[in-house]
Amino acid sequence: MNVRPLLAVFLVICAGIVASVFLFPTLSYLSGPPDVTIFDTPTTDPSVPAPYQGTKAEPTTVIQVDGAGETLPIQIWNDSPRNRTVSVELIHNESNSSLVTQRETLPPNGTLRLEIRSPGYLLKVTDESTQTTGTYPVTTDHFDCNSRFAEVRIDGNGNIDSGTVSTTMGC
């Protein structure tokens, strides 16, 4: 019986085990939730699309989610003549973890801004006075060659709706 083929198979299996011990912890670290930075005295990117420039107050807070690629700005807007307290939760779909749980009181016409750099999130916005919750999923469709800007609007009655403005280039 020739021992060399069995020894070669054994060495290949051992090498695979050793490589996976070092490689998989590194890969699992990369697939975890990204870092989040919250700015209470924000400076915003002036590249907000034309329909939204100067139409709302500067955001009280900017929440940035790390990642690679273009930014999807999401503006949460209090479209009401009175202060409104909202709860914001950003859920990372892959890890099913809540990255952001923020409670914010927005002045009339006030905004809060999120800047997200990759797909795979669910944004939940709740109006505290009516307990109405609206959701906005951040999907791969938001990250193609088109420029996008999203808005979650809370009206004077506490109704929450959302929409996305996009350029219409053919990718």
Side-chain angles (χ1 to χ4, degrees):
M1 178 172 172
N2 195 349
V3 177
R4 286 187 180 178
L6 292 175
L7 182 60
V9 169
F10 177 73
L11 290 175
V12 168
I13 291 172
C14 288
I17 291 170
V18 169
S20 66
V21 165
F22 289 105
L23 184 61
F24 288 125
T26 303
L27 291 177
S28 64
Y29 170 75
L30 293 175
S31 66
D35 292 330
V36 173
T37 307
I38 299 175
F39 299 97
D40 290 328
T41 54
T43 56
T44 58
D45 182 355
S47 66
V48 174
Y52 294 97
Q53 290 174 349
T55 60
K56 298 169 185 67
E58 286 294 311
T60 56
T61 304
V62 173
I63 301 169
Q64 293 178 337
V65 180
D66 286 346
E70 295 292 317
T71 299
L72 171 66
I74 302 174
Q75 181 170 261
I76 299 170
W77 172 33
N78 174 19
D79 183 16
S80 146
R82 60 181 170 76
N83 286 350
R84 180 170 304 282
T85 301
V86 296
S87 294
V88 175
E89 182 179 18
L90 184 65
I91 299 167
H92 182 247
N93 293 340
E94 187 174 319
S95 64
N96 200 28
S97 60
S98 182
L99 295 180
V100 174
T101 304
Q102 182 92 1
R103 189 169 185 233
E104 194 80 25
T105 300
L106 299 175
N109 209 33
T111 62
L112 180 144
R113 181 177 167 112
L114 285 90
E115 297 173 353
I116 300 176
R117 298 189 184 278
S118 62
Y121 300 95
L122 179 65
L123 174 63
K124 291 183 178 181
V125 178
T126 302
D127 173 38
E128 293 289 323
S129 64
T130 63
Q131 290 301 303
T132 303
T133 299
T135 60
Y136 185 83
V138 179
T139 65
T140 55
D141 294 342
H142 295 111
F143 295 92
D144 59 14
C145 67
N146 293 307
S147 176
R148 287 186 167 71
F149 180 81
E151 182 171 81
V152 177
R153 175 181 166 262
I154 305 122
D155 71 13
N157 296 322
N159 297 317
I160 300 174
D161 62 357
S162 60
T164 306
V165 174
S166 173
T167 58
T168 57
M169 298 186 320
C171 297

